[in-house]
Amino acid sequence: MRIGYGYDVHKLVKNRKLILGGVDIPFKKGLLGHSDADVLIHTIIDAILGALAKGDIGLHFPDEDDNYKDIDSRILLRNTYKIMQVSNYKIGNLDATICAQQPKLQNYIPQMRENLATVTVLSYTRAVNAAFCYFYFFLSRNFTFKQLQSILAESKRTETKVYLTLNTLIKNSELPELLDVLYQVSQTSLSSIIIQDWGVYYLVRKFFPNITLHASTQMAFHNSIGAEFAKRKNFERVIMARELTLEELRIISKKSRIELEIFTHGALCYSFSGMCLFSSFLGGMSANRGQCRQPCRRTFKSEEKEDYFFSLKDNQQIDIVPELMKIGISSLKVEGRMKSAEYVNRVARAYRMVINDPNKLQQAKQLLSFDMGREKTSYFLGGNVSNAITENPFIGIHIGEITKTKGTEFSFTTSEELKQNYRIRIQPQNGMNSKAIKLKKEYGFNEVESGGTASLNFTQESFSKGDKVFLIGAPTEKFRTKFQLDGKRLNLSLPTKKKQNILNKIGSGKQIHFDELFIRINSLRWLRKLYLDKFDQLILNLTKSEWRQFDLRSPFMRKNIHKFIIELPKFIPEDDVSYYRDLCLNLSRQGIKNYMISHISQKLLLPIGIRSSVNENVYTLNDAAIQFLKEDNVALYIYPFEFDYENLVAGKDRNGIVPLYFYPELFHSRMPVKIDKSDSDGYSHFEDRDHSFRKTVRDGITIVIPEIPVSLFQYKDDIHKQGFRRFLIDLSHVKPSQNTFNRLQKRYKYSEAEQPGYGFNYKLGLS
């Protein structure tokens, strides 16, 4: 046992915040210092470092280093705690005294205790060793709440945290059942729920405030304003987008007042999470509702080649774990959905090994070499994405090819040792319908060393010479598959009267009494082709280079300035945050007062006194999400592009903007891909078996759209009869033409079909 003693003094001055134990205490003066000058935490840091004989706070976090300017001292404490972990020590007891006559601190002490306990005990020790429980609401009932209670009882015994994922979008018809689920969650000891839908957020904060919230990566938080917005909305933690660089993450962590979590291992989606419409477009199976058909793993064909254009290697960040700890990341996440227990165990052990002792990196990497995933990439965090696309989208280790077949028998030479109960997968040369096989004696299998020949007699399927063989499972130990059902009994349904009372409070049936038509353009060339008197408002979604050309000084522009809505992009990298804040400020000073944001956190970029709206990327699939936006002073909102008629009319709301014509952005990605040379309009063309597509790049973002637009003009009158009065014609990705505008405007006016055109999910339905 070691004992450390710390002591710290800071001067009280005006115009500084008073921060003690991570709590912002209202007072006329604050503490002067290079960081946030939290003397309580600084004292604890010195005590820990003193006990370890590791110097003092000034040695590790010098006040001449700008990286620590105004930094939250809890980040410094978290980093100090990790130094202690590496030395294999833990805190047994912590006692601190604050000497001050003013202000009175008694009411703030409980929060100080909680802050200190969270930083010094719960972060890495429990987050990575947590029991990850995935519950896909309405979509696949992986376990019951009775089983969940058993897991919670087990977690209490093993001192781990349990998180429940509700990171899916909710339809209007599902709101009553959602309330029952939240009611059940509120009775448990779950550490947190992970959410995607702002409607879920609204219901939790309004009616179940005891539930702790984490923001899913599906919410697409990707910069410091996003992290700040989440903090202001009382999230405990944000799971950041996978597409960030290490430098971006370092800056965000430095600026953030909220816990940050990142994905460090597992499968990667080509599109930003929460922005993919490809699976939904192919048949209503929405990736945003956990139903992804993995179109990025398909082969596509261009004029020059056929390949896996969008299939990414698996994420692996084991090399930078020490750096992630250093910059203050609170939690490392392993993507383990639909993975085996042996995979989760192996990967968690590897990352825990490096967290505890960075010198064991090579040993950990050896463990990960048998995770049975795809090839690995360090992706954007590693600073090089040039080789992130894989030629083999399938999981497993390639161990050989079938060299001989005879009837139902086949054999192959294996590059890895094979034992009973290992699992292999045979991949036919045509790439279709692979088959997984568990190696058993009944198939005539005998254990074989690396370099030996394995033979099987598998009567259920026939294979051919040259078919590839992959090792996909090598169990080394058995895992429990059942828990004793001994958890606390829950009330399963929210009382009917209370449920109805909540549902009555969300959504409004009020309707506007006049029609409004919105036009969106993504090129300034459209301004010369439009008749602005034929519609109500013009949404401008431009690239940075076009914003620099945007000139409001002409009489035509001044006359129509009230019609312009400035739209911000879906992804704003950290380096561009200041650019877009300045852009909005400059345009507002020139008279533009209407702005449309693609992420709700972008409200923090807008100047005071403007009118903010949200586009289809801020999902309004249910009345609760719309209620949240209204109470957050959002003026207008576009319904999601993947909406269906049944859900649209099931809600009370009738004031959103219904998209009638658009090219849905199926992929929206930071990852560059090479297909063919672009045409004169900047598009590359490719296809699969059933559809043709186009790819373009705007401000570094790769966008994939179908060759044929979605057109719902023929349903406009029916939608109008249901009480909807606001409509959108999106001319993004349409070649500027006065004839095209006139034709589409006529289709809108007379509710006529535009051919060719897809119906998307309008009639098919959204799953």
Side-chain angles (χ1 to χ4, degrees):
M1 182 178 73
R2 293 187 178 187
I3 297 174
Y5 175 76
Y7 177 79
D8 196 26
V9 176
H10 283 260
K11 184 179 180 180
L12 281 166
V13 296
K14 293 182 179 180
N15 300 318
R16 285 277 295 185
K17 289 184 177 181
L18 178 59
I19 309 291
L20 293 173
V23 179
D24 189 344
I25 298 171
F27 192 55
K28 60 187 177 182
K29 292 183 178 181
L31 294 170
L32 181 65
H34 184 67
S35 65
D36 63 1
D38 189 329
V39 290
L40 175 57
I41 288 182
H42 292 187
T43 300
I44 294 168
I45 290 173
D46 268 342
I48 294 172
L49 294 173
L52 297 172
K54 296 282 188 180
D56 60 13
I57 188 171
L59 177 65
H60 292 269
F61 314 110
D63 58 12
E64 64 267 17
D65 190 337
D66 287 341
N67 286 323
Y68 305 120
K69 177 68 175 171
D70 298 323
I71 195 170
D72 187 330
S73 291
R74 286 175 294 180
I75 296 175
L76 305 183
L77 179 57
R78 190 179 298 127
N79 291 342
T80 305
Y81 185 71
K82 292 163 192 171
I83 294 172
M84 183 185 69
Q85 283 184 306
V86 171
S87 300
N88 292 318
Y89 282 90
K90 63 181 181 180
I91 295 175
N93 184 62
L94 183 64
D95 183 55
T97 301
I98 301 172
C99 299
Q101 289 184 317
Q102 293 183 45
K104 299 297 183 183
L105 301 177
Q106 184 175 356
N107 293 337
Y108 304 103
I109 290 175
Q111 184 61 52
M112 293 182 196
R113 284 176 175 159
E114 183 178 340
N115 289 349
L116 295 174
T118 299
V119 174
T120 59
V121 179
L122 302 180
S123 58
Y124 273 87
T125 303
R126 297 184 180 179
V128 181
N129 271 343
F132 293 103
C133 300
Y134 292 92
F135 174 68
Y136 292 91
F137 183 51
F138 298 131
L139 303 178
S140 62
R141 301 177 184 276
N142 292 341
F143 51 81
T144 66
F145 264 92
K146 193 172 184 180
Q147 291 169 317
L148 175 61
Q149 286 294 82
S150 299
I151 293 171
L152 289 170
E154 180 77 6
S155 72
K156 184 176 181 180
R157 184 184 66 80
T158 57
E159 295 188 310
T160 58
K161 285 191 171 186
V162 178
Y163 304 103
L164 184 73
T165 59
L166 280 173
N167 57 336
T168 187
L169 296 176
I170 307 298
K171 300 175 80 170
N172 278 306
S173 61
E174 297 164 345
L175 286 174
E177 191 173 354
L178 170 65
L179 289 172
D180 286 337
V181 170
L182 294 177
Y183 180 55
Q184 293 170 50
V185 168
S186 70
Q187 301 170 62
T188 72
S189 60
L190 277 164
S191 299
S192 175
I193 64 172
I194 303 170
I195 67 167
Q196 171 187 1
D197 194 309
W198 285 106
V200 178
Y201 168 85
Y202 178 81
L203 293 173
V204 169
R205 281 287 164 260
K206 203 80 171 177
F207 304 106
F208 305 95
N210 65 311
I211 298 176
T212 301
L213 294 177
H214 289 186
S216 168
T217 190
Q218 289 285 127
M219 280 185 140
F221 285 100
H222 56 267
N223 53 32
S224 58
I225 60 163
E228 175 60 23
F229 186 84
K231 175 66 176 178
R232 295 186 187 185
K233 293 302 179 185
N234 293 315
F235 282 92
E236 179 184 66
R237 178 182 297 172
V238 172
I239 304 165
M240 302 301 290
R242 295 173 174 93
E243 292 80 4
L244 301 183
T245 68
L246 186 59
E247 182 58 26
E248 287 171 336
L249 204 56
R250 182 180 287 109
I251 295 170
I252 295 167
S253 180
K254 180 183 175 182
K255 293 180 178 179
S256 295
R257 302 182 298 138
I258 191 171
E259 292 182 12
L260 303 181
E261 177 173 303
I262 64 164
F263 279 89
T264 54
H265 201 91
L268 288 168
C269 303
Y270 178 74
S271 184
F272 286 105
S273 293
M275 300 185 195
C276 182
L277 297 179
F278 215 135
S279 179
S280 186
F281 174 77
L282 293 177
M285 308 291 283
S286 175
N288 298 312
R289 282 172 53 81
Q291 299 280 56
C292 184
R293 297 172 65 184
Q294 296 191 317
C296 54
R297 303 297 179 193
R298 294 185 173 194
T299 57
F300 294 93
K301 185 178 181 180
S302 68
E303 189 175 314
E304 297 179 0
K305 60 182 177 180
E306 182 173 1
D307 210 343
Y308 297 102
F309 294 152
F310 307 105
S311 183
L312 287 166
K313 297 177 181 178
D314 280 1
N315 186 23
Q316 180 169 299
Q317 304 298 341
I318 193 75
D319 288 299
I320 63 168
V321 166
E323 182 63 22
L324 294 173
M325 295 169 65
K326 182 179 178 181
I327 66 176
I329 301 303
S330 298
S331 177
L332 308 183
K333 173 165 281 187
V334 172
E335 186 274 323
R337 189 165 69 100
M338 305 299 289
K339 295 293 198 303
S340 65
E342 64 206 48
Y343 165 90
V344 175
N345 177 269
R346 179 180 291 271
V347 175
R349 278 194 295 136
Y351 279 86
R352 166 55 58 194
M353 188 180 293
V354 177
I355 289 169
N356 289 344
D357 185 357
N359 293 320
K360 292 184 177 180
L361 176 61
Q362 292 306 316
Q363 187 178 342
K365 291 175 80 169
Q366 181 61 30
L367 266 177
L368 293 177
S369 67
F370 280 87
D371 71 349
M372 306 303 170
R374 300 176 184 87
E375 297 174 273
K376 299 300 186 289
T377 175
S378 59
Y379 211 36
F380 284 94
L381 278 174
N384 182 8
V385 297
S386 61
N387 65 344
I389 299 292
T390 179
E391 295 180 359
N392 172 30
F394 305 104
I395 62 171
I397 301 172
H398 182 212
I399 59 173
E401 297 178 357
I402 293 178
T403 55
K404 184 179 179 181
T405 63
K406 184 179 180 181
T408 58
E409 298 179 5
F410 67 92
S411 58
F412 60 93
T413 301
T414 174
S415 60
E416 298 289 344
E417 176 188 43
L418 296 177
K419 294 184 177 182
Q420 295 289 334
N421 296 319
Y422 278 24
R423 297 188 304 279
I424 63 172
R425 178 174 52 79
I426 310 297
Q427 182 63 53
Q429 296 175 70
N430 62 10
M432 304 295 289
N433 301 323
S434 63
K435 181 67 178 180
I437 302 172
K438 190 173 185 178
L439 300 179
K440 301 178 181 179
K441 285 186 177 180
E442 65 187 79
Y443 298 146
F445 171 75
N446 293 310
E447 295 186 357
V448 58
E449 298 292 328
S450 173
T453 299
S455 299
L456 285 91
N457 185 358
F458 190 71
T459 59
Q460 302 173 30
E461 196 99 20
S462 61
F463 303 105
S464 302
K465 185 177 179 180
D467 288 352
K468 293 183 177 181
V469 184
F470 294 85
L471 178 63
I472 60 172
T476 56
E477 58 182 296
K478 290 186 176 181
F479 299 95
R480 291 172 58 188
T481 58
K482 293 183 179 180
F483 288 100
Q484 183 178 349
L485 300 180
D486 58 358
K488 169 187 169 185
R489 181 170 294 182
L490 304 177
N491 295 316
L492 299 181
S493 297
L494 187 67
T496 303
K497 189 174 181 179
K498 189 171 184 179
K499 183 190 295 184
Q500 193 57 51
N501 185 44
I502 292 174
L503 293 173
N504 289 340
K505 289 180 179 179
I506 59 175
S508 170
K510 292 182 180 179
Q511 300 176 16
I512 59 173
H513 301 294
F514 51 89
D515 289 3
E516 288 184 292
L517 177 60
F518 296 77
I519 302 292
R520 174 190 277 150
I521 61 173
N522 71 344
S523 170
L524 286 176
R525 291 183 296 159
W526 266 111
L527 284 178
R528 299 188 179 190
K529 310 295 182 182
L530 301 174
Y531 295 103
L532 270 67
D533 60 335
K534 292 185 178 295
F535 55 89
D536 296 280
Q537 294 204 278
L538 179 65
I539 302 169
L540 295 152
N541 186 321
L542 306 179
T543 61
K544 289 169 67 177
S545 62
E546 285 203 301
W547 281 125
R548 295 185 186 102
Q549 302 170 34
F550 190 58
D551 190 348
L552 288 168
R553 291 175 295 181
S554 71
F556 170 79
M557 298 293 279
R558 300 307 301 176
K559 177 184 176 182
N560 292 287
I561 198 169
H562 65 285
K563 289 197 170 189
F564 297 149
I565 299 177
I566 306 303
E567 186 171 38
L568 300 186
K570 297 178 185 178
F571 177 76
I572 298 180
E574 190 63 30
D575 283 348
D576 284 348
V577 168
S578 296
Y579 170 83
Y580 282 103
R581 180 181 283 117
D582 292 343
L583 174 70
C584 295
L585 181 60
N586 291 335
L587 292 175
S588 70
R589 286 172 175 171
Q590 295 180 64
I592 297 182
K593 301 302 180 184
N594 296 308
Y595 294 80
M596 183 165 280
I597 54 180
S598 299
H599 194 282
I600 189 65
S601 66
Q602 292 171 358
K603 288 185 71 175
L604 301 185
L605 295 177
L606 303 180
I608 297 172
I610 57 84
R611 185 178 188 235
S612 63
S613 302
V614 299
N615 66 16
E616 66 280 358
N617 199 56
V618 181
Y619 269 78
T620 52
L621 210 59
N622 59 71
D623 283 335
I626 293 170
Q627 189 69 32
F628 160 73
L629 293 176
K630 288 180 176 179
E631 293 186 17
D632 215 45
N633 299 313
V634 170
L636 298 170
Y637 39 93
I638 301 175
Y639 294 122
F641 277 3
E642 57 179 333
F643 80 104
D644 62 18
Y645 176 78
E646 181 182 10
N647 185 66
L648 183 69
V649 299
K652 300 176 190 175
D653 183 76
R654 293 295 185 269
N655 292 331
I657 302 170
V658 181
L660 292 180
Y661 182 89
F662 55 93
Y663 283 89
E665 294 187 352
L666 308 180
F667 282 152
H668 194 88
S669 178
R670 201 179 192 182
M671 176 67 200
V673 291
K674 294 180 180 179
I675 300 180
D676 283 352
K677 292 181 179 179
S678 301
D679 60 22
S680 59
D681 293 316
Y683 292 90
S684 300
H685 302 262
F686 62 98
E687 61 187 22
D688 65 6
R689 289 172 294 173
D690 304 309
H691 305 88
S692 297
F693 306 96
R694 288 187 283 160
K695 184 216 82 171
T696 190
V697 178
R698 287 172 59 87
D699 283 340
I701 298 298
T702 298
I703 297 168
V704 171
I705 61 172
E707 286 278 11
I708 297 172
V710 172
S711 179
L712 306 173
F713 288 126
Q714 65 271 34
Y715 304 116
K716 183 244 181 175
D717 283 352
D718 291 338
I719 297 171
H720 195 274
K721 288 176 183 177
Q722 292 293 332
F724 298 91
R725 297 291 183 268
R726 291 177 171 139
F727 301 95
L728 170 69
I729 298 176
D730 187 351
L731 299 176
S732 303
H733 309 293
V734 179
K735 191 170 185 176
S737 162
Q738 196 171 87
N739 288 336
T740 299
F741 171 72
N742 290 337
R743 186 181 74 252
L744 295 179
Q745 202 274 336
K746 181 181 176 183
R747 298 281 189 260
Y748 164 78
K749 183 177 180 180
Y750 295 108
S751 192
E752 297 175 344
E754 168 73 5
Q755 296 294 346
Y758 290 116
F760 207 173
N761 295 325
Y762 183 79
K763 288 290 188 182
L764 177 68
L766 177 67
S767 297

